[in-house]
Amino acid sequence: MSLSLANLEHLYQLPFNVLIKQAHDVHQHHHTANTIQLCGSLSIKTGHCPEDCAYCPQSVHYKTYVTKEALLDPDDVLKVALYAKTLGVTHFCLGAAWSHVPRGSAFQKVLEIVREVHGTGLQVCCSLGSVSEEQVESLLAAGCTTYNYNLDTSPEFYPKIITTRAFESRYQTLQMIRKSNLKLSCGGILGMGESIADRLKLIYLISQLSPQPEMVPLNALVAIEGTPLGQKSFIDPFEYVRIVAIARIAMPKTIIAMAAGRYKMSLETQALAFFSGANAIYIGERILTTPTPDLNADLNMLTKLGMNVHEYNIDIRQ
C-alpha cells in the first residue's frame, strides 16, 4: 500500500533518530543487511543539449567547462565498461546529452554500444532523454535492462528549473517507460532551492508510479559555475539523509542510490544515508560530468563500515 503525501509530511516531521530508525527497519526487512551495489556511468555523448536545465553544465544555453563531444565509438565505451567491472561495478549507466533520443545512424550506434556493454555481463542502464515506445523495445532487445529518466523536482518548482520541457510531458514519458519491460530508474536533484514540500512531492510522485521504480538515484546539486544555480550552497546533510529515509519508507523494495554530489559528503553523512536505506553508490571518475569520490576512499569507507558489495537484480514487477 503506497503512502499518501500527508503520510510523508508526517514522517518528515519526526525526530531525526526516530525517522532514520524507522527507515532502517524497513530497509532491513526488504534488503540484505550491510550491502551496497556499485554503479558506474559514462557520458557517451557530451554537451550541446538543447534543454535549459538550470543545474546542467551540458546545456547549450550556458557557458561552462563542458565542451561538445561526439557520440563515442563502441570500442571506447567497452574499454571503460570492462574497467568498471574490475572495480566491482555491476550496474553501468550510459548517458547522452539529448533532449530526444535520435533516430537513424546515431541510434543504431547506441544500440551497438548497448550490445557491447551487455556482453560484458553488466546490467546496462541508459539515460538518453525522451524516448519512443519503438526505441524502448529496440533498447530492450539490444540488452538494455534499465532506463533512467528523472523527474528532477516537484511540478510546482519545476518551471523555475526547466522551461524547455513541461513537467507533464516528462511524467507521461515515465509512465510509458514503466509500462514497458524495461526496469525503471527515476530520481531527482536535491538542493536547487526547492522547499521541503517540493522534495516530499517529488518522492511522492515517484512512489506513485505503478509499479514503483527499481532504482531511485538521489542527486545532491553540485553547483557549476556558468549555470543559473552556480552559486547555490551544498545541501544540509541532515536534510539529504531525511529524504533518503523518506524514499526508503515510501519505496521499500527499491534500490536507493546515492548519486551526484556524494564526493562533497562526509563519511559520517554517507554512513547515515546507508543506515537510512541507501544501498547503491556510483563509483569511478565521474557521474556523467560531475566528480565522484576517490576510489580508494570509497573502498576504505566500505571496509570501515563493514559493508559488502552485492549485485542487486531487482524487478519489482515480479
Side-chain angles (χ1 to χ4, degrees):
M1 179 178 176
S2 63
L3 299 179
S4 68
L5 182 57
N7 292 147
L8 302 189
E9 291 168 346
H10 172 74
L11 286 167
Y12 194 88
Q13 295 303 318
L14 292 174
F16 182 77
N17 286 342
V18 174
L19 172 61
I20 66 171
K21 174 60 166 59
Q22 186 168 331
H24 180 74
D25 290 343
V26 171
H27 180 72
Q28 294 287 80
H29 181 71
H30 292 279
H31 300 273
T32 306
N34 300 310
T35 60
I36 288 292
Q37 173 162 290
L38 301 184
C39 307
S41 70
L42 178 67
S43 179
I44 61 172
K45 184 272 177 185
T46 304
H48 208 70
C49 180
E51 304 283 10
D52 67 352
C53 306
Y55 54 81
C56 186
Q58 299 200 66
S59 172
V60 72
H61 298 270
Y62 316 126
K63 191 172 183 179
T64 68
Y65 67 90
V66 175
T67 57
K68 181 181 179 181
E69 297 177 12
L71 183 59
L72 296 178
D73 289 329
D75 287 347
D76 293 330
V77 176
L78 180 61
K79 291 175 184 176
V80 177
L82 287 170
Y83 174 67
K85 190 174 182 180
T86 68
L87 302 178
V89 165
T90 55
H91 178 97
F92 194 76
C93 187
L94 305 169
W98 285 317
S99 173
H100 296 81
V101 181
R103 299 182 184 275
S105 60
F107 185 58
Q108 293 306 312
K109 192 172 182 179
V110 169
L111 294 178
E112 184 180 352
I113 290 171
V114 171
R115 284 190 287 267
E116 292 281 0
V117 177
H118 173 69
T120 67
L122 290 167
Q123 300 174 26
V124 183
C125 175
C126 286
S127 183
L128 311 172
S130 291
V131 62
S132 70
E133 290 186 51
E134 179 184 0
Q135 289 171 325
V136 163
E137 293 305 315
S138 295
L139 287 167
L140 185 65
C144 179
T145 55
T146 307
Y147 201 87
N148 169 256
Y149 197 71
N150 292 333
L151 272 183
D152 286 349
T153 189
S154 73
E156 291 78 13
F157 190 67
Y158 186 90
K160 298 179 181 179
I161 301 299
I162 304 168
T163 67
T164 49
R165 180 186 303 279
F167 183 91
E168 184 56 34
S169 169
R170 187 179 289 261
Y171 201 71
Q172 288 174 355
T173 299
L174 265 178
Q175 291 174 316
M176 180 273 291
I177 297 168
R178 181 70 288 190
K179 291 176 183 176
S180 76
N181 287 321
L182 279 176
K183 297 178 185 179
L184 179 63
S185 169
C186 177
I189 305 173
L190 308 175
M192 299 188 290
E194 74 285 349
S195 66
I196 300 302
D198 290 317
R199 294 172 188 170
L200 295 175
K201 186 69 170 291
L202 169 69
I203 299 302
Y204 170 72
L205 288 175
I206 294 173
S207 72
Q208 292 304 296
L209 291 165
S210 183
Q212 294 180 333
E214 278 75 18
M215 179 175 282
V216 172
L218 293 177
N219 301 278
L221 176 71
V222 177
I224 302 296
E225 184 177 353
T227 66
L229 301 182
Q231 301 306 312
K232 287 288 182 185
S233 57
F234 196 65
I235 189 170
D236 177 87
F238 292 105
E239 292 183 9
Y240 180 85
V241 173
R242 277 186 179 273
I243 294 299
V244 170
I246 293 292
R248 170 51 68 219
I249 296 170
M251 294 171 279
K253 297 180 181 179
T254 295
I255 299 168
I256 306 295
M258 298 177 69
R262 189 173 62 84
Y263 81 100
K264 295 176 71 72
M265 297 178 189
S266 68
L267 172 61
E268 292 81 4
T269 298
Q270 294 180 67
L272 283 172
F274 295 146
F275 182 85
S276 303
N279 56 345
I281 58 173
Y282 282 79
I283 67 168
E285 292 184 1
R286 59 185 183 177
I287 303 176
L288 303 186
T289 57
T290 58
T292 57
D294 176 78
L295 177 61
N296 288 329
D298 273 341
L299 297 178
N300 289 335
M301 172 184 68
L302 296 179
T303 298
K304 284 183 179 180
L305 297 177
M307 306 290 286
N308 301 307
V309 175
H310 176 76
E311 179 178 4
Y312 288 100
N313 197 15
I314 293 171
D315 189 337
I316 291 193
R317 292 161 298 191
Q318 295 179 354

